[in-house]
Amino acid sequence: MSTIVEPVTCSFCGCVCDDLSAEVDNSRIVRVRGACSSGLGMFTGYDPAPRKPTVDGQEVTWEEAVAEAAAILKGAHSPLIYGLSSTASEAQRKAVELADRIGAVIDSTSSVCHGPSGLAMQAVGEPTCTLGEIRDRADLIVFWGCNPDASHLRHFARFSLTPKGALTTNGRQDRTVYVVDVRPTGTTKRADHFLQVDVGSDFEVLTTLRLLVRGKEPDVESVGGIPVADLAELAQRLKSCRFGVAFMGMGLTMTAARQLNVAELFTLVSELNQYTRFSVMPMRGHGNVAGADQVLSWTTGYPFAVSFARGYPQFSPGEFSAVDMLVRQATDAALIIASDPGAHFPRAAAQYLSEIPTIVLDHAESVTASHAQVVFPTAVYGVDASGTAYRMDNIPIPLHKVIETERVTDEDVLQRIIEAVQ
Amino acid sequence: MLGIIGGRIYDPQNGRDGEIGDIWVRDGRVVTAQEIDRERAQIIDATGMVIMPGGVDIHSHIVGAKVNSGRKLRPEDHRGHERARVGNLRSGVEGTVPTTHVTGYLYSEMGYTTVMEAATAPLVARHTHEELEDMPNLDKGVFITMGNNHFIMECIRDQQYERARDYVAWLLGASKGYAIKIVNPGGVENWKWGRNVGELDDEVIGYEGVTPRQIVQTLARINDDLGLPHVPHIHGINLGKSTSARTTVETIAALEGRRAHFCHLQFLSYGAGKGGVHRSEAAQVAEAVNAHPNVTVDIGQVIFGSTTTMTSDGPLQFSLHQTTGNKWVNDDVESESGGGIVPIAYKAANPINATMWLAGLELFLLIDDPWRVFLTTDHPNGGPFTRYPQVIRLLMDRGYREEMFAGINARARKGALLPELEREYSLRDIAIITRAGPARVLGLRNKGHLGVGAAADIAVYRDLADREAMFARPAYVFKGGELVARDGKVVAELPGRTLYVAPAYDKSIEAEVDEYFKRAYTLSLASYSVLGESVRGAERVECGARS
Amino acid sequence: MGERFTLITGRTRKQAIGLHKGKASPEYREATSYVEMSPDDMQRLGLVDGALVQVHSVAGSARLTARTGTVPSGLVFVPMGTEINALIPAETGGTGMPPFKGLEVDVSRDDGGGETL
């Protein structure tokens, strides 16, 4: 006998869609309504069968696993805690508490995603808004170096392209859409204007836009492969729209100047507010990476790449960020929470991670877990555990328990490890 | 069981003005001596010391989305102000945007035990409550911003008062808030169009006939009808502008006798001066406050030094960015609010900053009734709350005031009122403006005093001639009868409580709100409301009809 | 023997779907082990869809399947995932961020070149 459970919230990506429903039969999710193809797998691809924790591949009791994890962390000179972006804020808070108590370095996937956007915000500020403001008011949308068609599948329909809002009553028609990218994508197909930029040339293009917005005329024909005439037209639109927004992504954070690219965009957006209202929004990738930034900021003052080694928080991206800690071999034990750096990190970093004692908290057998000493199979927040996630615009949204399983949560496991290390 | 004996007790609510006496504590409350078994009680000898209720901060930006953006924005404010972990206590950072645990510790170290978070948009209330769970040693409440709320403005436009009233009642419970907060009514909405308001009768764009005056009057009436423990808490229009004193006085008049609290009044007490430098109009504003017993205020005193401005006043924050050139965060919140953050530095040598400093002190010294004027710096806007002891010294010690006055910009000194103001606050006055008075207008019956039944939130200070040193380093601080600080250093961490109200309302509003959500927001009502959820440490405070 | 290209990596729908099935799953492998190239570049290198190519960077190499894509000439795209990480250096230039986009690589036909899998 199946029942409908709602509301159901998906936290796969930064959209954190909270309008789903699930059909549950005998503690199994048989169908989910409303999820996109990327989020659906969170519910249907997850096997919540109870699994025991393992140490060196052998099943052990929870007490034994916790004791082993505590021993590894206490015995380390320089433990690293990493991941966090796919777990709830309640668990993130526990992770920071643990890092504080053992003097660990703690970092989230921000450092390989929107860390540069955070650095840009620290340098020049960030004029932003919540997604409802965009849906209701924005008549000019710019997607810069991002591809929501592939990464945030319901973004166009819920927020940025087609929905009808208070002042955008005609939906798509009321919006002018620009995309700046290095190649055509599913997103560029939806745009009114596609400006194809040369890889690594975003900074020059952004600076040129700032000049054009100020009424200056560059003495070149094109910048970064884009005709200046096209940029001049964009600049005019940027200044004269009613309410504009620039969504930005990895095209800016991962290329060439990284945080300097982002800072140039943030500065442009700041300056546009002298003429009209304009906001910028980083397209946060993972469902609760915004939460990781928030939790780390309120407990340490800094959003990622934090070290407690001296007994107080220190912030140093490039030094305490996980890739750097690993490739420099500056850490000798790792606790990986709801993340798979073994699969996603540059090989040299992943390789070193597989060589040091590692503890993993994850719902499935990740690549990282396959090289780990201690593995805790935990629940998925939003499926068989409830908790809080922060949407890409920083709105906190509850994740609900849809099915009852025997899985423990990341929060539970971390609490037990905290008790065991003291 | 605890006895604090032989100290000079300042408990203005109960008429004690420095008389030597004892305070007895049992099970977290103040009790009579008869209820104590002296053999088993811990006795603190407070001979030569001053005993006061724990401090009550009526307005401070300490938690939530805006504050946390401020933390993320300012690594440069944190560096060099770190606090190392000690025993079981957490590490973190101090400075003008301290981390949550450290905020609790810093307040303990000053003898404060209750703090009100000054402004949270209900859409992000859940975030505020999460941070409050990570803030020990304090009882707290959250003020919920409503002055630019679309549902309320629609009700005003459509002249549907009861609908607005039921919505506000629902909203307070849904956000587990403590009070109605109004920030630049109408102006924050207009900022979403790149504009602002300048007069009480300016129209809010998109809301025909809705004005700041109506927003204030409606919410003040709702506050009374719901019997909320606090009064509407108002950050008025024109903050920072030379028209502010005039419109502050007009806003007071617009209340037509209804009770309200005006926050960080200093920032709203300016007139036009020469050469673009504002003048302090503290005299004019103080006169209006004195003449209207329905009004309470907190000052928002400026402290010379670097700090971080952060308010829900979006257009104000943009103009601060324009005038200072400093980095700027803005956050427009759908259907209800906005805000921004800009770092700032107040310099004694700067004529405008010096005038602001003067305006705050003048207000303190010209408002007659200490029960209606409270000590704040609008942390961190005027300066960090850790500088409250400096303000206390300025109020109590005219010589110190004169010394500081001599060091401020010469132009600002010329013709300033401050040198003529001889008044010095007494310890009793300080106990009122930092404890008894705020507790009373907040409707916190068990706080701010040491009568039998009061919460055992107690601060014991050494009676030092340097009043700043005295109040910066209490000898003992108790929260609910437990020692949390000793000699100005935190020694224990206890969970505090989050006080909230959930006034009754006509249930039919719920279906309307559900419909409204579908068009006004981008998340579901179920995600928005914390109504049915348990917030750790939350405690409901009853509403009652106004007497 | 190969030609110099600029590599970008990124998210795709199929990579996300494959992710939930597990990184050892055929869906994930298929979704993350191809390289998109422009038609001109493929023709010049004598490649057809499905041909195996070797991609080398300063950090390492990977064997991927060529596929015609909408990238401009000179650019190649590989979905983020386990395959491509052999190529990404762990050098972050002090930013914490490795060069997941804009990396110089050499692409050449693999031995046995031009055969469809």
Side-chain angles (χ1 to χ4, degrees):
Chain A
M1 195 61 243
S2 71
T3 51
I4 302 291
V5 177
E6 56 186 356
V8 171
T9 303
C10 172
S11 59
F12 179 70
C13 83
C15 289
V16 189
C17 296
D18 65 338
D19 58 350
L20 279 48
S21 66
E23 198 179 313
V24 174
D25 190 357
N26 214 16
S27 278
R28 273 179 48 252
I29 297 176
V30 296
R31 184 141 65 155
V32 175
R33 276 214 169 71
C36 71
S37 61
S38 298
L40 185 61
M42 267 197 93
F43 301 91
T44 55
Y46 164 48
D47 175 11
R51 280 172 34 221
K52 286 210 163 66
T54 58
V55 171
D56 295 328
Q58 302 299 310
E59 285 188 351
V60 296
T61 65
W62 288 96
E63 290 72 28
E64 286 166 338
V66 167
E68 181 64 24
I72 288 172
L73 292 172
K74 279 166 79 166
H77 292 299
S78 178
L80 167 69
I81 299 179
Y82 176 76
L84 305 181
S85 49
S86 298
T87 190
S89 55
E90 291 82 357
Q92 292 166 343
R93 286 155 66 191
K94 287 290 168 196
V96 179
E97 182 184 345
L98 176 59
D100 194 356
R101 300 206 186 282
I102 64 175
V105 166
I106 182 162
D107 187 29
S108 78
T109 64
S110 277
S111 62
V112 294
C113 186
H114 273 287
S117 307
L119 298 179
M121 182 257 206
Q122 290 171 335
V124 303
E126 183 178 335
T128 193
C129 60
T130 63
L131 285 162
E133 285 293 304
I134 292 164
R135 181 198 64 188
D136 284 346
R137 299 179 197 266
D139 57 341
L140 181 67
I141 321 273
V142 180
F143 293 101
W144 201 303
C146 58
N147 183 12
D149 180 75
S151 62
H152 295 77
L153 273 53
R154 293 183 69 204
H155 199 273
F156 293 154
R158 294 189 65 208
F159 313 118
S160 57
L161 213 65
T162 55
K164 296 187 170 140
L167 302 175
T168 51
T169 51
N170 296 309
R172 179 65 181 89
Q173 281 173 261
D174 284 345
R175 299 177 175 101
T176 300
V177 180
Y178 271 81
V179 179
V180 182
D181 207 332
V182 299
R183 60 181 181 128
T185 62
T187 300
T188 64
K189 284 199 187 83
R190 310 287 298 268
D192 298 309
H193 305 274
F194 167 39
L195 301 177
Q196 188 160 335
V197 62
D198 294 338
V199 175
S201 300
D202 301 272
F203 186 91
E204 295 91 312
V205 175
L206 287 162
T207 290
T208 306
L209 278 171
R210 288 181 61 206
L211 289 170
L212 289 162
V213 162
R214 286 168 190 231
K216 309 253 187 265
E217 285 178 24
D219 56 5
V220 292
E221 295 291 307
S222 78
V223 177
I226 303 174
V228 168
D230 291 351
L231 294 177
E233 193 181 309
L234 172 57
Q236 213 18 65
R237 288 203 162 103
L238 293 172
K239 291 168 76 166
S240 58
C241 66
R242 171 184 64 218
F243 192 102
V245 63
F247 291 103
M248 46 83 40
M250 305 292 96
L252 290 179
T253 66
M254 287 181 171
T255 56
R258 300 190 186 58
Q259 66 265 32
L260 301 179
N261 296 333
V262 184
E264 199 66 359
L265 174 62
F266 285 11
T267 302
L268 168 63
V269 169
S270 256
E271 290 170 348
L272 285 169
N273 281 279
Q274 294 167 35
Y275 305 94
T276 183
R277 288 306 324 282
F278 220 103
S279 286
V280 68
M281 188 177 302
M283 295 284 290
R284 304 311 301 263
H286 288 90
N288 201 18
V289 65
D293 270 20
Q294 296 286 352
V295 167
L296 256 67
S297 294
W298 85 61
T299 51
T300 75
Y302 311 105
F304 62 97
V306 173
S307 170
F308 284 102
R310 301 195 71 173
Y312 54 79
Q314 291 179 289
F315 171 59
S316 192
E319 187 178 1
F320 303 138
S321 31
V323 168
D324 298 281
M325 288 291 292
L326 289 166
V327 82
R328 289 189 195 135
Q329 306 191 358
T331 174
D332 58 348
L335 167 59
I336 309 296
I337 301 167
S339 184
D340 197 6
H344 288 130
F345 272 10
R347 192 61 56 85
Q351 177 62 33
Y352 181 71
L353 178 62
S354 71
E355 292 165 11
I356 58 173
T358 302
I359 304 149
V360 169
L361 274 64
D362 208 324
H363 67 282
E365 308 227 19
S366 60
V367 171
T368 310
S370 68
H371 300 290
Q373 277 57 48
V374 185
V375 179
F376 292 95
T378 51
V380 176
Y381 286 100
V383 183
D384 55 343
S386 60
T388 309
Y390 287 73
R391 198 167 75 176
M392 60 191 291
D393 58 350
N394 295 302
I395 296 180
I397 299 193
L399 305 175
H400 308 288
K401 190 190 273 204
V402 179
I403 51 173
E404 196 68 50
T405 68
E406 286 168 47
R407 291 280 181 115
V408 297
T409 63
D410 294 329
E411 187 188 355
D412 294 333
V413 174
L414 288 167
Q415 175 59 30
R416 294 213 239 176
I417 296 176
I418 287 169
E419 285 159 10
V421 296
Q422 289 189 141
Chain B
M1 282 181 285
L2 171 67
I4 304 167
I5 63 174
R8 288 180 29 234
I9 299 172
Y10 287 88
D11 180 13
Q13 181 162 309
N14 297 306
R16 288 190 279 190
D17 186 15
E19 69 202 39
I20 295 187
D22 310 325
I23 302 290
W24 299 100
V25 170
R26 183 177 167 152
D27 297 328
R29 297 224 168 258
V30 175
V31 297
T32 62
Q34 288 69 39
E35 295 169 70
I36 297 293
D37 175 357
R38 297 219 184 184
E39 306 279 294
R40 292 172 51 215
Q42 182 196 6
I43 304 295
I44 304 282
D45 182 357
T47 309
M49 299 190 194
V50 159
I51 305 172
M52 289 195 180
V56 177
D57 193 344
I58 195 170
H59 184 113
S60 189
H61 298 271
I62 46 170
V63 284
K66 189 169 60 261
V67 174
N68 212 30
S69 263
R71 292 185 185 110
K72 182 176 169 181
L73 180 69
R74 305 214 64 195
E76 73 278 7
D77 188 273
H78 308 326
R79 290 192 170 113
H81 298 117
E82 299 91 350
R83 174 181 286 236
R85 87 181 157 272
V86 174
N88 267 341
L89 302 175
R90 299 283 293 271
S91 72
V93 297
E94 303 181 7
T96 71
V97 271
T99 50
T100 51
H101 297 86
V102 171
T103 300
Y105 304 157
L106 287 169
Y107 267 111
S108 286
E109 290 170 351
M110 258 192 344
Y112 272 70
T113 49
T114 301
V115 180
M116 292 288 136
E117 160 49 47
T120 282
L123 182 58
V124 290
R126 190 181 294 277
H127 177 167
T128 294
H129 288 297
E130 262 214 288
E131 287 200 29
L132 287 177
E133 287 181 6
D134 279 350
M135 188 167 289
N137 295 0
L138 294 172
D139 289 339
K140 321 103 175 167
V142 180
F143 297 164
I144 302 296
T145 54
M146 299 192 191
N148 292 275
N149 181 293
H150 285 197
F151 193 101
I152 293 170
M153 293 194 294
E154 283 178 18
C155 290
I156 295 174
R157 178 195 63 202
D158 301 338
Q159 293 174 342
Q160 295 176 318
Y161 170 75
E162 280 83 14
R163 198 157 167 259
R165 184 199 60 210
D166 286 328
Y167 174 78
V168 170
W170 169 82
L171 188 62
L172 284 167
S175 55
K176 284 198 162 58
Y178 190 77
I180 295 173
K181 177 70 185 285
I182 302 169
V183 176
N184 188 6
V188 179
E189 176 63 23
N190 282 4
W191 171 238
K192 297 176 179 181
W193 297 89
R195 310 232 286 273
N196 199 348
V197 294
E199 301 293 342
L200 282 177
D201 297 308
D202 281 348
E203 205 167 77
V204 183
I205 302 167
Y207 292 89
E208 196 186 325
V210 177
T211 63
R213 182 189 302 277
Q214 292 181 319
I215 294 169
V216 169
Q217 288 177 338
T218 304
L219 288 168
R221 183 178 163 199
I222 288 173
N223 203 108
D224 280 347
D225 284 353
L226 294 179
L228 301 179
H230 188 34
V231 298
H233 198 105
I234 304 173
H235 158 146
I237 64 174
N238 292 324
L239 190 145
K241 300 214 189 104
S242 62
T243 48
S244 57
R246 171 173 64 78
T247 52
T248 293
V249 171
E250 288 170 5
T251 309
I252 290 174
L255 288 167
E256 293 171 350
R258 288 199 191 272
R259 298 173 63 201
H261 178 92
F262 286 78
C263 51
H264 46 69
L265 192 65
Q266 172 273 127
F267 289 107
L268 292 131
S269 299
Y270 310 134
K274 292 205 192 89
V277 177
H278 296 345
R279 262 183 31 211
S280 160
E281 285 291 348
Q284 180 196 11
V285 173
E287 190 186 331
V289 173
N290 286 336
H292 289 84
N294 51 308
V295 162
T296 53
V297 311
D298 69 81
I299 297 298
Q301 177 64 29
V302 151
I303 306 287
F304 295 124
S306 297
T307 192
T308 309
T309 67
M310 53 172 65
T311 68
S312 305
D313 195 338
L316 162 73
Q317 297 295 149
F318 178 67
S319 76
L320 283 175
H321 163 62
Q322 300 280 74
T323 50
T324 61
N326 293 341
K327 55 189 175 179
W328 166 58
V329 169
N330 181 79
D331 199 356
D332 297 324
V333 182
E334 63 210 58
S335 297
E336 49 185 57
S337 191
I341 307 166
V342 176
I344 210 164
Y346 297 117
K347 301 188 165 98
N350 176 294
I352 297 172
N353 299 161
T355 301
M356 296 166 83
W357 182 82
L358 288 170
L361 290 173
E362 288 165 6
L363 284 167
F364 271 119
L365 298 171
L366 290 170
I367 294 174
D368 300 322
D369 183 0
W371 287 96
R372 297 203 284 118
V373 57
F374 312 133
L375 193 163
T376 64
T377 59
D378 188 21
H379 166 86
N381 290 285
F385 63 78
T386 46
R387 306 313 305 276
Y388 291 173
Q390 188 195 48
V391 182
I392 290 174
R393 187 176 177 202
L394 283 165
L395 296 176
M396 294 188 74
D397 181 346
R398 192 181 169 200
Y400 179 56
R401 218 153 60 213
E402 284 168 358
E403 213 179 286
M404 275 199 78
F405 178 78
I408 69 172
N409 171 276
R411 210 169 126 193
R413 286 205 309 269
K414 217 161 133 186
L417 200 51
L418 189 69
E420 302 167 33
L421 302 175
E422 299 184 352
R423 179 180 171 197
E424 286 182 326
Y425 272 57
S426 64
L427 282 172
R428 174 180 182 271
D429 292 334
I430 297 300
I432 295 170
I433 71 171
T434 60
R435 293 135 218 273
R440 176 180 287 182
V441 81
L442 285 166
L444 298 171
R445 293 204 187 84
N446 300 320
K447 306 277 191 195
H449 73 98
L450 294 174
V452 169
D457 296 346
I458 306 163
V460 183
Y461 298 97
R462 292 196 170 79
D463 195 351
L464 305 176
D466 178 348
R467 298 307 195 181
E468 182 172 357
M470 170 179 172
F471 282 95
R473 226 176 140 233
Y476 304 94
V477 181
F478 298 92
K479 176 84 186 59
E482 303 287 331
L483 184 72
V484 288
R486 178 90 207 256
D487 290 326
K489 286 264 162 290
V490 66
V491 298
E493 186 181 276
L494 309 166
R497 279 163 307 174
T498 299
L499 305 171
Y500 72 96
V501 297
Y505 55 86
D506 182 336
K507 296 286 178 205
S508 67
I509 199 78
E510 284 171 353
E512 291 193 49
V513 172
D514 201 32
E515 264 318 295
Y516 168 71
F517 256 72
K518 293 181 180 127
R519 70 176 157 88
Y521 286 95
T522 50
L523 79 176
S524 70
L525 182 55
S527 291
Y528 181 98
S529 169
V530 294
L531 187 62
E533 297 173 34
S534 65
V535 168
R536 216 172 303 154
E539 184 178 298
R540 185 172 168 180
V541 172
E542 286 310 314
C543 301
R546 285 257 163 267
S547 52
Chain C
M1 288 299 99
E3 268 190 35
R4 185 57 55 88
F5 288 87
T6 304
L7 167 73
I8 57 167
T9 66
R11 175 83 70 186
T12 71
R13 294 188 179 216
K14 291 219 166 96
Q15 175 261 336
I17 292 171
L19 191 72
H20 295 299
K21 296 196 193 281
K23 297 189 177 95
S25 68
E27 291 90 340
Y28 185 78
R29 292 212 168 281
E30 193 185 317
T32 58
S33 53
Y34 65 84
V35 52
E36 257 181 43
M37 305 178 67
S38 80
D40 290 346
D41 291 339
M42 286 191 56
Q43 187 180 58
R44 199 174 57 257
L45 286 173
L47 298 168
V48 294
D49 273 2
L52 287 174
V53 294
Q54 282 282 344
V55 183
H56 300 273
S57 78
V58 61
S61 59
R63 199 165 72 147
L64 301 168
T65 310
R67 202 186 273 200
T68 316
T70 56
V71 286
S73 181
L75 199 67
V76 297
F77 170 82
V78 178
M80 60 184 277
T82 46
E83 296 308 310
I84 199 55
N85 290 323
L87 269 65
I88 309 295
E91 272 312 307
T92 76
T95 66
M97 172 68 83
F100 286 110
K101 291 185 197 275
L103 183 70
E104 283 201 337
V105 294
D106 286 330
V107 179
S108 58
R109 249 167 51 180
D110 193 54
D111 303 325
E115 284 167 16
T116 315
L117 278 177

